[in-house]
Amino acid sequence: MRPSALDPLFAPSTTLSGVGPKLAKALDKLLGDETHAARVIDLLFHLPTGAIDRRPSESIIEAPIGEIATFSARVTEHRPAPPTKAKAPYRILVEDETGDVTLVFFHADVRHLLQTLPIGAYRIISGKLELWDGMRQMVHPDRILDPKLAATMPSVEPVYGLTEGVGGRIMARIAAGAAERCPELPEWQDGAFLARNDFASFRGAIDALHHPADIKAATGETVARRRIAYDELLASQIALALVRRQQKKAAGRATGGDGALRRAIETALPFTLTDGQRKAIADIHDDMEKPERMLRLLQGDVGSGKTVVALMAMAAAAEANRQSVLMAPTEILARQHAERLAPLADKAGLKLALLTGREKGAGRRQVLEGLANGEIDIAVGTHALFQEGVAFHDLALAVVDEQHRFGVHQRLLLGAKGEAVDILVMTATPIPRTLSLTWFGDMDISVLAEKPAGRKPIATKAISSERLDEVVGAVGRAINAGAQVYWVCPLVQESDTLDVAAAQQRFEALQEEFGDKVGLLHGQMPGRDKDAAMAAFVAGQTRLLVSTTVIEVGVDVPNASVMVIEHAERFGLAQLHQLRGRIGRGSAASTCLLLYKGPLGPVAEARLTIMRETEDGFRIAEEDLRLRGEGEVLGTKQSGSPDWRIARPEIDGDLLAAARDDARLQIERDPHLETERGQAVRTLLYLFERDVAIRLLRAG
Ligand code: ADP
Ligand code: MG
């Protein structure tokens, strides 16, 4: 059982002061997942990604241009927009003895401005200072403070990853609140190691991370971050050690069939398999036939045809009268897989069922029954497949789609579902070798190097968003010619309210143009509506699908041959590549239009150039690595990976090595974690949610 000291951390975010239901919902989107809402601990581990320096300048003339500047000044003049130019901004002049600054407000709330910046008043003002026609100006200051309240503004302000509905200041406040909830915990690290590295306690390190003393402390490689990273690595290494011990006990089972179902499926396919697919299918089958457990990674660029390989593997399991699951990262993808695979499975006489968090009531019970009594051969679903209450008659194989971050933790959960389950992980993200060793050190790899024949290259163009009208015109012509179009809008962030094209708005605008040929799909829609929108597009009822990045992963509509990506400059390379991979799947020539809003920074410019030059996923991944640094490639900087919230194994290599040794020693000396330090290690395992490892410990 989880030590009760950790209970406050695993409480929902609503237990934090100032977090009501609405805010909690927004936090869930950022930090929660299918199985749980955002909790205090998710906020605790939601570390700043940087910091803003708000130390005040002595005077206006000394305030830095082009950066965040903070200064105090007197309000001298209000300049409303002239009545003839309703869209012009509202301007307010402030000055000190050394110079003046024009504050600029678009869509101004004049009454509010008169209140916060009355003429004659002194104010502390902080925001991005720019030169405009030789004059200093600041568009929408971040902070406007009465000098009496100066102390309420920290001079170094941590910056957090945000989401719709949670602004920077709110996030900083709740993250700090979460850090405060952290109790002093028993020490699990080796004393000498702690001293040598100058590590504070877990609580001390968390506190330091959320209250950076200077800019470097928020962004740099600090002792505090290393401490937490080490903790995380130690937790996973100890969990791994426990798993290995368990795995040695439970060897795999040989699953071999006569090939009849596979032949039936192959005959039913509307295409012939590529050599790469054949080879991968054979590799997988060889693995499954062996009495050891399979742990194989199937790597193939977007569109290379991984799904059918998965189906053949699952058919092989069924030939041995055993079950398999196919797990997808999103609800939409799970449904698509189920719809695609069902007719093929049917032809081979296999029973396939869908299980996600949304299957409820009688339908759900029926599926659970079918899984438990072995009637269902193949279950397709999301994380819900792992949940408690889902039991299998005889699970042989788990295929995990598009989740290269499927880590040790999830493997553990799976292990608990069947003895010696064979695992196939499929990913389109090429994984650099250094990383694959730390993440998948124990995995074998199959690669689909070629794409199915007959694919035409995608023409990719970068176009300034000022030419939106032309783009809409071209899209209209494409639709009239029978094409289907994806129109992708980026996430709406509270911080740039002024110029982001929200999917909703774009949808309405395009609907005016194209009527009911336009569909809308975004993450916040109720599940049923999402299904309906997707189904209408698949069926060709809607010809243009406006969506957020929810279509990024795996969605397959071969007739879609045009993609417009708005604000392409805001996306990373890997994401652009994934998105673009949704087209170019059919026999028609495809076009991808990257709409950008200039001026482009050098990195954004480089990204768009690479996208125009190549469709080669490996090259794109390499360039991505070069432009971003390794840490971000696998999304390890976001909380997206349940395996690594903080640690970056590729960067913290020395820590990883130390944690590995530490873990081995710990398990050797104290195999059941019963000593005082062993008990502390248990707390650590719960803290990083390696609970299943502890369960294994009990079982063994
Ligand atoms: P991914 O590897 O990105 O998951 P999919 O499995 O979704 O790719 O396959 C992409 C498309 O290619 C699908 O429409 C699928 O039916 C088709 N496909 C798969 N294999 C072949 C093949 N050997 N020949 C022609 N089309 C294929
Ligand atoms: Mg796929």
Side-chain angles (χ1 to χ4, degrees), residues 287 293-297 411 422-423 425 442-444:
D287 283 357
R293 275 188 174 189
M294 170 169 82
L295 192 48
R296 185 169 283 278
L297 182 71
R411 273 188 242 156
D422 284 331
I423 296 176
V425 179
D442 44 355
M443 284 200 160
D444 300 308

Side-chain angles (χ1 to χ4, degrees), residues 271-274 277 301-307 452 455 556 558 585:
F271 47 74
T272 50
L273 295 168
T274 64
Q277 285 170 324
D301 205 356
V302 288
S304 58
K306 295 183 288 293
T307 319
R455 297 277 165 84
D556 183 38
R585 295 177 157 246

Side-chain angles (χ1 to χ4, degrees), residues 303 306-307 333 336-337 401-402 426 554 582 585:
K306 295 183 288 293
T307 319
L333 192 50
Q336 175 190 288
H337 276 326
D401 190 25
E402 299 289 4
M426 308 199 292
R582 300 308 112 220
R585 295 177 157 246

Side-chain angles (χ1 to χ4, degrees), residues 19 55 119 253 260 531 578:
V19 182
R55 283 172 303 178
I119 291 180
R253 276 173 61 186
D531 291 352
Q578 274 287 343

Side-chain angles (χ1 to χ4, degrees), residues 130-466:
E130 288 160 315
L131 269 192
W132 185 257
D133 271 350
M135 313 275 285
R136 286 184 176 76
Q137 77 162 31
M138 186 181 286
V139 179
H140 289 220
D142 304 331
R143 300 279 186 277
I144 299 168
L145 274 182
D146 191 310
K148 283 197 291 268
L149 299 173
T152 62
M153 185 172 75
S155 56
V156 177
E157 186 183 296
V159 174
Y160 292 88
L162 303 178
T163 184
E164 238 177 301
V166 194
R169 239 183 304 182
I170 298 178
M171 183 59 91
R173 188 168 49 72
I174 36 193
E180 247 165 60
R181 284 289 167 85
C182 183
E184 282 293 352
L185 298 168
E187 185 55 61
W188 46 76
Q189 286 197 28
D190 175 65
F193 182 77
L194 270 183
R196 205 161 55 242
N197 283 285
D198 215 10
F199 283 169
S201 69
F202 178 80
R203 184 187 200 291
I206 284 288
D207 194 62
L209 286 166
H210 285 287
H211 300 100
D214 50 47
I215 295 289
K216 237 186 98 224
T219 52
E221 193 43 43
T222 62
V223 187
R225 196 199 70 80
R226 280 173 65 80
R227 149 96 214 200
I228 308 293
Y230 183 80
D231 287 338
E232 183 172 37
L233 292 166
L234 183 62
S236 73
Q237 289 301 313
I238 288 187
L240 250 185
L242 293 172
V243 178
R244 285 209 191 97
R245 196 166 76 188
Q246 168 82 7
Q247 274 180 348
K248 274 189 202 147
K249 280 187 213 151
R253 276 173 61 186
T255 304
D258 56 7
L261 294 173
R262 275 167 286 163
R263 276 192 298 277
I265 289 174
E266 203 178 333
T267 328
L269 286 176
F271 47 74
T272 50
L273 295 168
T274 64
D275 290 345
Q277 285 170 324
R278 275 179 214 289
K279 171 84 172 61
I281 292 165
D283 285 348
I284 293 163
H285 188 242
D286 286 351
D287 283 357
M288 288 172 62
E289 269 189 324
K290 286 185 193 142
E292 292 103 56
R293 275 188 174 189
M294 170 169 82
L295 192 48
R296 185 169 283 278
L297 182 71
L298 175 61
Q299 201 277 308
D301 205 356
V302 288
S304 58
K306 295 183 288 293
T307 319
V308 66
V309 175
L311 180 62
M312 296 295 264
M314 296 193 290
E319 283 164 19
N321 271 321
R322 305 188 62 198
Q323 295 168 294
S324 23
V325 295
L326 170 58
M327 192 188 88
T330 65
E331 182 90 47
I332 291 179
L333 192 50
R335 271 165 212 283
Q336 175 190 288
H337 276 326
E339 276 158 28
R340 284 295 153 77
L341 297 181
L344 289 167
D346 217 37
K347 290 235 167 76
L350 290 174
K351 186 138 196 296
L352 182 146
L354 176 70
L355 186 69
T356 74
R358 263 179 49 214
E359 269 63 48
K360 298 250 156 72
R364 181 182 189 84
R365 266 199 306 281
Q366 215 173 356
V367 172
L368 291 181
E369 253 173 55
L371 291 175
N373 66 23
E375 217 169 83
I376 295 170
D377 302 294
I378 296 175
V380 177
T382 54
H383 274 97
L385 289 167
F386 289 156
Q387 275 161 15
E388 279 180 47
V390 182
F392 294 85
H393 177 64
D394 185 7
L395 183 64
L397 169 70
V399 185
V400 184
D401 190 25
E402 299 289 4
Q403 265 186 312
H404 48 276
R405 281 175 263 163
F406 179 82
V408 175
H409 179 62
Q410 287 89 333
R411 273 188 242 156
L412 280 169
L413 282 170
L414 248 183
K417 290 290 171 205
E419 50 170 315
V421 177
D422 284 331
I423 296 176
L424 176 66
V425 179
M426 308 199 292
T427 177
T429 310
I431 296 170
R433 175 130 189 91
T434 46
L435 294 194
S436 69
L437 283 178
T438 38
W439 287 57
F440 300 114
D442 44 355
M443 284 200 160
D444 300 308
I445 298 183
S446 295
V447 178
L448 298 182
E450 77 223 281
K451 290 206 180 167
R455 297 277 165 84
K456 302 228 172 67
I458 301 171
T460 301
K461 296 181 194 131
I463 299 177
S464 160
S465 56
E466 281 162 21

